[in-house]
């Protein structure tokens, strides 16, 4: 590496929105290549209270001073990026050797691509395409998603390299920064998380942009979750509030009103099933019971926050 390389603008910036994932973040920053073509930006969304130190390695730290949520944190990281390509990464998504070079090659091969979805595999190499690569949900599918056992997306076969994909998961997703700028980036109203990536994919498609699958770039992904740190009840309320907001934004108030009805119905069915089936995300039936009551209150109250 020459002295001039250190001052040259990078080609790709990785953006990690971090919230209380110190161990996973350390693994990611340790795996990030020490190459001036690839910079790494970590947005710390108020994790100082966790008491664990951050292992940044080559990363540059952005500290907004408060929790901006995933969308706001991603926008802050993108704003701080110096490269024309940005790679959104969850802390539990680690690039394999050569993955970033393969992304550069993919954008060169597909000049029409607003973004590229790399190949995600589990810690043992198991493919995650069925979870990662999704079609944009219809309004009706969003409603069914509020019911137990309903609205599960149909698994898609892993597509060919370069094939268009409608709504790839944002756990590892690369974009041309110009494409994000044209649509205004992420909508920070989907706070603190969930449905901001669906909304972004919808707006990109509406703008005529295409996202493509590029499996030559491989990332190991642990499918970590913020739910245990957030709690089952708060997760449910946020998730269904943002689902309702997504429907209202893209399909109208009638669909949003229907969503509140379906959310209440789904929560009531889950309460009836609770003696037989504890939700996997809940630590106990008591936590699930309180969380479901909170969701019913939120939906009936139009998702207004309690005083």
């Amino acid at each position: 590496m020459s002295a001039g390389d250190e001052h040259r603008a990078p080609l790709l910036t990785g953006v990690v929105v971090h919230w209380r994932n110190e161990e996973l973040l350390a693994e990611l920053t340790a795996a990030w290549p020490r190459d001036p073509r690839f910079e790494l930006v970590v947005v710390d969304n108020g994790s100082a209270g966790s008491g664990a130190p951050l292992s940044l390695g080559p990363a540059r730290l952005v500290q907004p001073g408060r929790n901006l949520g995933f969308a706001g944190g991603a926008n802050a990281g993108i704003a701080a990026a110096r490269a024309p390509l940005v790679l959104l990464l969850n802390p539990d998504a680690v690039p394999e050797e050569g993955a970033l070079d393969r992304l550069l090659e993919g954008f060169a091969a597909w000049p029409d691509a607003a973004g590229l979805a790399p190949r995600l595999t589990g810690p043992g190499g198991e493919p995650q395409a069925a979870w990662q690569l999704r079609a944009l949900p219809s309004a009706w599918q969003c409603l069914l998603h509020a019911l137990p056992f309903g609205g599960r997306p149909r698994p898609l076969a892993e597509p060919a390299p370069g094939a268009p994909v409608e709504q790839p998961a944002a756990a590892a997703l690369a974009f041309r920064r110009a494409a994000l700028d044209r649509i205004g980036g992420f909508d920070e109203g989907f706070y603190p998380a969930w449905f901001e990536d669906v909304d972004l994919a919808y707006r990109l498609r509406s703008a005529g942009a295409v996202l493509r699958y590029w499996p030559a770039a491989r990332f190991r992904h642990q499918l970590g979750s913020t739910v245990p740190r957030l709690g089952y009840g708060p997760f449910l309320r946020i998730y269904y509030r943002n689902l309702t907001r997504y429907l209202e934004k893209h399909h109208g108030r009638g669909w949003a009103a229907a969503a509140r009805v379906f959310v209440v119905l789904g929560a009531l069915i889950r309460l009836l099933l609770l003696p037989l089936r504890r939700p996997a995300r809940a630590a106990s039936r008591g936590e699930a019971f309180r969380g479901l009551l909170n969701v019913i209150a939120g939906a009936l109250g139009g998702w207004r926050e309690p005083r």
Side-chain angles (χ1 to χ4, degrees):
M1 183 192 308
S2 69
D5 287 338
E6 296 181 0
H7 303 287
R8 193 173 301 164
L11 301 179
L12 179 147
T13 299
V15 173
V16 183
V17 180
H18 161 68
W19 186 68
R20 301 180 182 178
N21 268 308
E22 287 78 9
E23 291 184 6
L24 294 173
L25 179 65
E27 184 179 351
L28 169 55
T29 56
W32 192 262
R34 272 56 172 175
D35 186 325
R37 297 175 301 157
F38 307 121
E39 75 167 343
L40 183 61
V41 172
V42 172
V43 180
D44 183 14
N45 252 346
S47 292
S50 66
L54 294 184
S55 178
L56 291 174
R60 190 154 47 90
L61 183 64
V62 174
Q63 292 180 296
R66 60 188 179 90
N67 191 338
L68 302 177
F70 178 82
N75 285 342
I78 293 165
R82 296 187 296 135
L85 302 174
V86 292
L87 169 64
L88 295 178
L89 284 174
N90 282 357
D92 63 344
V94 176
E96 295 189 1
E97 186 175 357
L100 305 185
D101 286 289
R102 303 293 85 76
L103 283 175
L104 296 182
E105 293 166 2
F107 278 109
W110 296 98
D112 71 325
L116 293 177
R119 190 172 197 261
L120 296 184
T121 61
E126 57 275 16
Q128 294 182 353
W131 169 86
Q132 175 196 9
L133 307 175
R134 316 158 182 168
L136 277 167
S138 67
W140 182 242
Q141 286 170 329
C142 287
L143 290 187
L144 291 179
H145 195 54
L147 302 178
F149 319 115
R152 297 291 183 267
R154 181 173 55 86
L156 302 175
E158 186 168 358
V165 288
E166 289 187 355
Q167 192 237 310
L173 188 55
F175 294 98
R176 297 187 196 274
R177 184 171 174 175
L180 294 178
D181 290 343
R182 278 195 297 272
I183 64 167
F186 283 91
D187 181 345
E188 298 179 17
F190 290 98
Y191 181 87
W194 295 289
F195 282 90
E196 70 288 314
D197 54 343
V198 190
D199 168 75
L200 185 81
Y202 188 102
R203 288 186 288 123
L204 282 169
R205 187 182 69 170
S206 298
V210 63
L211 303 175
R212 296 189 180 276
Y213 182 50
W214 195 242
R218 298 170 63 98
F219 289 73
R220 284 182 288 110
H221 181 227
Q222 295 189 36
L223 278 176
S225 174
T226 60
V227 176
R229 294 182 299 280
L230 185 63
Y232 180 71
F235 158 72
L236 279 186
R237 188 180 180 107
I238 292 166
Y239 184 87
Y240 286 122
R241 182 191 69 205
N242 284 355
L243 180 150
T244 304
R245 185 177 187 272
Y246 174 83
L247 279 171
E248 181 167 357
K249 179 176 179 179
H250 295 297
H251 299 284
R253 292 183 178 178
W255 283 101
R260 290 192 290 272
V261 173
F262 272 67
V263 167
V264 170
L265 179 60
L268 289 173
I269 295 173
R270 288 180 172 92
L271 283 172
L272 291 174
L273 294 175
L274 201 52
L276 305 174
R277 177 179 176 271
R278 174 179 62 83
R281 295 177 186 267
S284 67
R285 284 182 169 83
E287 183 188 23
F289 179 79
R290 292 187 296 273
L292 290 166
L293 290 183
N294 188 27
V295 164
I296 292 171
L300 293 177
W303 303 116
R304 290 186 298 274
E305 293 303 317
R307 293 183 182 274

